Amino acid sequence: MNRGSARPVAAPGGGLAGARHVAIIMDGNGRWAKARHLPRVAGHRQGMEAVRRTIRAAGELGIEALTLYAFSSENWRRPADEISDLMGLLRLYLQREIDELDRNGVRLRLIGDYGKFAPDLVAQLEAACARTAGNTGLTVALALNYGGQDELVRVARQLAEAARAGSLDPADIDVDLFDECLDTAGLPPLDLMIRTSGESRLSNFLLWQAAYAELLFTDTLWPDFDRAALEGALADFGRRERRFGGR
């Protein structure tokens, strides 16, 4: 990633360099820990600190929405003890950060089939969303038990059931209607997707939403991601010409 030498200046109309909605695939916790001969959970703990830094920076930089890939539908394949650690860290994050998030005007939102988590964690997540629902600052969407293919299947099933019930004419299904049925309905269109740790794939994240998003892959491991890294990504975004297929 080329961060440039000059400090970027926030642009009007949606954050630094004009990005309104940024999504991040937070990858590299395990490699960060392995490089330091630490257990994987240590990497996840440092990753939680990176979440804190990034949310704070995103709000200060004027981004409207930040979507974080916190737990994918494929992450259930990981060892049971690692999943338990991740769930524990999510609980701890909510306990530690909810006051600051609320005080800073952050609105929490959930996407994905998070209802499959333990009932107490679901209750904690929903309570945090309810507490911050009236805030008007940065919206942070946590993708929990989320998979892009699963999201598209759920929308297709919802529309098919409506058509079968006679409440929807299949001829009325278009891009706008489909978009309104997605987990991200109401958020600004996705401008920029960042993936850390050097991997160059979407990993089943926001497949519909990423249709015309700019993609940025950085070698930075997620626990090392900070404000400077976010500013660099947004500066890179600002140098790109977005044509949306027009020419």
Side-chain angles (χ1 to χ4, degrees):
M1 181 190 303
N2 181 8
R3 296 181 180 174
S5 57
R7 185 179 181 86
V9 178
L16 193 72
R20 298 177 62 202
H21 184 182
V22 176
I24 305 179
I25 301 174
M26 306 179 293
D27 194 16
N29 291 348
R31 272 167 282 181
W32 184 94
K34 183 177 181 180
R36 292 160 176 78
H37 307 288
L38 297 170
R40 286 180 66 87
V41 68
H44 293 315
R45 290 195 188 102
Q46 288 302 311
M48 186 172 70
E49 294 303 311
V51 168
R52 295 177 69 251
R53 292 193 300 267
T54 303
I55 289 176
R56 184 179 301 114
E60 292 171 351
L61 294 170
I63 294 170
E64 294 180 35
L66 177 68
T67 300
L68 301 175
Y69 207 6
F71 190 89
S72 79
S73 53
E74 288 74 38
N75 284 158
W76 295 109
R77 302 171 186 169
R78 295 188 177 188
D81 58 346
E82 183 175 357
I83 293 174
S84 178
D85 288 337
L86 289 168
M87 296 299 107
L89 287 172
L90 180 55
R91 289 184 176 90
L92 181 62
Y93 176 81
L94 293 170
Q95 292 168 1
R96 285 184 176 179
E97 301 300 318
I98 187 60
D99 288 342
E100 181 177 347
L101 293 172
D102 192 25
R103 186 167 54 250
N104 291 336
V106 174
R107 180 170 68 104
L108 283 180
R109 179 166 168 177
L110 308 175
I111 68 172
D113 191 11
Y114 69 92
K116 292 187 178 178
F117 288 168
D120 68 306
L121 179 53
V122 170
Q124 189 178 5
L125 288 163
E126 292 180 342
C129 290
R131 175 172 171 178
T132 61
N135 292 341
T136 57
L138 172 70
T139 295
V140 174
L142 297 179
L144 296 168
N145 194 29
Y146 175 89
Q149 292 176 332
D150 174 72
E151 180 184 30
L152 298 179
V153 168
R154 286 189 280 110
V155 172
R157 186 178 296 121
Q158 176 185 343
L159 295 175
E161 290 174 351
R164 183 173 61 181
S167 59
L168 174 66
D169 183 343
D172 291 334
I173 299 175
D174 58 13
V175 169
D176 291 336
L177 177 60
F178 205 92
D179 197 66
E180 291 171 4
C181 297
L182 294 169
D183 292 353
T184 52
L187 294 179
L190 182 61
D191 291 312
L192 173 64
M193 182 182 290
I194 302 167
R195 180 168 187 150
T196 59
S197 86
E199 303 293 345
S200 303
R201 56 181 177 272
L202 297 183
S203 292
N204 200 21
F205 187 43
L206 300 180
L207 300 180
W208 173 282
Q209 296 87 340
Y212 279 103
E214 294 295 315
L215 308 180
L216 189 146
F217 303 103
T218 173
D219 290 335
T220 301
L221 300 176
W222 176 246
D224 294 325
F225 199 84
D226 56 14
R227 181 188 177 110
L230 180 59
E231 286 185 342
L234 292 170
D236 184 288
F237 170 83
R239 291 190 290 268
R240 300 186 187 188
E241 182 181 1
R242 305 182 75 194
R243 296 188 294 273
F244 299 97
R247 56 184 173 87

